[in-house]
Amino acid sequence: MTMLAQQIAALRPLGLVAEPGPPSTVPYQLDSACIAWADHGALLAELARSRGLDLPAWLATAQVKQGQALLSPRQLLALLAPLQTCGADSAFVIGRLSLPGHYGLASQALQQSACLLDALRLLVRHAGRLSPLLTPRLLCSGSELLLYWTEACGAPPAQRAFLVDQQMSAVSAMCEQLAGQRLPWRYSFNRTRPRDPAQHVVYLGGALRFDCQVDAMRIDLALAQQPWPTMNGSSLAGSALAAGALAQGADPASARRGLLAALYDQLLSDLTRSPSLDTAAAAFGISPATLKRHLAQHGTHFQAELDQVRSHVALYLLGLQGQASEAVAQQLGFYDAANFRRAFRRWTGINPGALALA
């Protein structure tokens, strides 16, 4: 096994690489009707009502019909779009109401998780139910835990920051509720600093860093492993029952991945074997032309998705593992360090020696 293969194998149980789902699990796409209105739509409707939006017009804009049971990711994104202009705090308010949420077994398991690490593993494993628009990924490096997000099925660039703020607020609020106190998260944003970061400070705290290469939350691993103060024997039993039922397929929607998240998983698993459009398409059981068309419908293409995976692995090896550029270049299959540095600058906008991950 090569060094890179060993690194990727070590990441699998931490959630950066998803465990393979059942063969029948097909990734959902932008227009797949797969998100229960009762899970996410009803929450947004309450906020829309409280912010004075005309509900019939709001629903019509997203082509959602009264009584519709399932939404597509595209419709959910369309419902979120008007809320972006209904107050600077909208993303954070939605987030605070999102987790643990009322999503059946997945929420029950979250509410009764034993510690922060346990809760985040559940969030990563059941993202299809809990976080259908952005896919959370978890890794541990040394004494630190890092949670970051990748696209599930292609949100418009204009909504990416809103979704990230929503997810960070959701995780922060959930942890505050379960821990009984605000936890000392450190936040990294893959965007320029906003003109007024007041809402970020109010809802997330002051440990904010912008102009980074990933959207991520970081915390000491030892703190993440400490038992929640409210845990007891009965809740541990409840968590085990809920998690066990999920593992046995009682909620198949929770294990589904968006197309881009599933492709990320596949590319990362296959990175040591020079992945291609053909091999990725074969893994999904479709033709290369069909995969290419699907990716175009999600606003992306194969090379962009492969570059993202390679850049994330490079960031991990350089920034968290402290490896030299030459070693990372060799592991990622570059002919020399100069070619790797050019590619890294194209991926991230910076040179490997100027990392600003955290």
Side-chain angles (χ1 to χ4, degrees):
M1 181 180 290
T2 67
M3 185 182 299
L4 180 59
Q6 292 173 342
Q7 296 278 2
I8 291 175
L11 295 175
R12 182 177 295 279
L14 302 175
L16 180 58
V17 186
E19 293 299 331
S24 60
T25 301
V26 178
Y28 59 86
Q29 300 188 44
L30 264 176
D31 293 310
S32 302
C34 59
I35 302 169
W37 167 266
D39 285 357
H40 296 277
L43 185 156
L44 298 184
E46 285 301 315
L47 182 63
R49 183 180 292 110
S50 71
R51 297 290 165 102
L53 292 182
D54 179 274
L55 291 188
W58 175 68
L59 292 173
T61 299
Q63 298 183 347
V64 175
K65 299 178 180 178
Q66 292 280 359
Q68 185 172 326
L70 293 174
L71 303 173
S72 69
R74 191 188 301 277
Q75 288 176 311
L76 187 59
L77 287 165
L79 291 175
L80 281 167
L83 296 175
Q84 291 183 238
T85 61
C86 290
D89 65 343
S90 293
F92 303 99
V93 172
I94 295 170
R96 290 189 69 85
L97 298 173
S98 297
L99 294 176
H102 304 282
Y103 314 126
L105 288 170
S107 288
Q108 181 183 345
L110 274 181
Q111 289 165 346
Q112 299 173 343
S113 54
C115 63
L116 171 58
L117 182 57
D118 184 30
L120 295 181
R121 281 174 168 157
L122 286 166
L123 176 64
V124 167
R125 195 172 300 126
H126 305 293
R129 175 74 71 185
L130 300 169
S131 177
L133 297 180
L134 289 182
T135 299
R137 299 178 182 277
L138 177 67
L139 64 88
C140 303
S141 179
S143 61
E144 188 175 57
L145 176 149
L146 186 146
L147 180 71
Y148 75 101
W149 286 266
T150 63
E151 292 286 351
C153 48
Q159 289 187 273
R160 170 76 189 199
F162 188 88
L163 293 175
V164 168
D165 290 345
Q166 176 188 331
Q167 290 302 309
M168 289 191 178
S169 178
V171 172
S172 300
M174 177 188 70
C175 295
E176 183 177 342
Q177 173 187 331
L178 296 176
Q181 61 179 331
R182 177 176 279 192
L183 297 182
W185 286 102
R186 302 179 292 278
Y187 302 87
S188 303
F189 298 91
N190 184 18
R191 73 184 97 143
T192 58
R193 183 179 182 84
R195 190 170 302 173
D196 181 7
Q199 297 299 327
H200 290 82
V201 174
V202 168
Y203 286 97
L204 303 179
L208 309 169
R209 184 164 183 175
F210 295 88
D211 295 305
C212 299
Q213 281 64 57
V214 289
D215 295 302
M217 299 170 58
R218 305 169 76 164
I219 199 168
D220 292 344
L221 180 58
L223 183 59
Q225 294 172 320
Q226 291 181 5
W228 299 124
T230 57
M231 284 302 299
N232 55 55
S234 61
S235 59
L236 281 170
S239 176
L241 288 171
L246 285 167
Q248 293 170 18
D251 183 9
S254 73
R256 292 187 71 185
R257 310 285 272 184
L259 175 66
L260 300 188
L263 179 59
Y264 186 107
D265 297 339
Q266 177 61 36
L267 292 175
L268 186 56
S269 296
D270 205 34
L271 197 56
T272 59
R273 295 184 290 273
S274 300
S276 66
L277 177 66
D278 289 353
T279 58
F284 289 118
I286 57 179
S287 70
T290 298
L291 177 57
K292 186 176 181 179
R293 184 175 68 254
H294 287 336
L295 293 177
Q297 292 168 347
H298 288 70
T300 187
H301 53 86
F302 180 79
Q303 190 60 50
E305 297 305 301
L306 177 57
D307 285 348
Q308 176 184 241
V309 172
R310 297 170 83 191
S311 70
H312 286 174
V313 171
L315 287 165
Y316 170 74
L317 297 176
L318 290 164
L320 297 180
Q321 295 296 303
Q323 296 190 25
S325 296
E326 291 75 12
V328 177
Q330 184 177 18
Q331 292 184 70
L332 290 179
F334 286 86
Y335 293 112
D336 55 48
N339 282 331
F340 166 68
R341 284 193 291 270
R342 283 193 291 271
F344 188 84
R345 183 172 181 80
R346 187 178 72 252
W347 298 335
T348 66
I350 63 172
N351 293 316
L355 271 181
L357 179 63

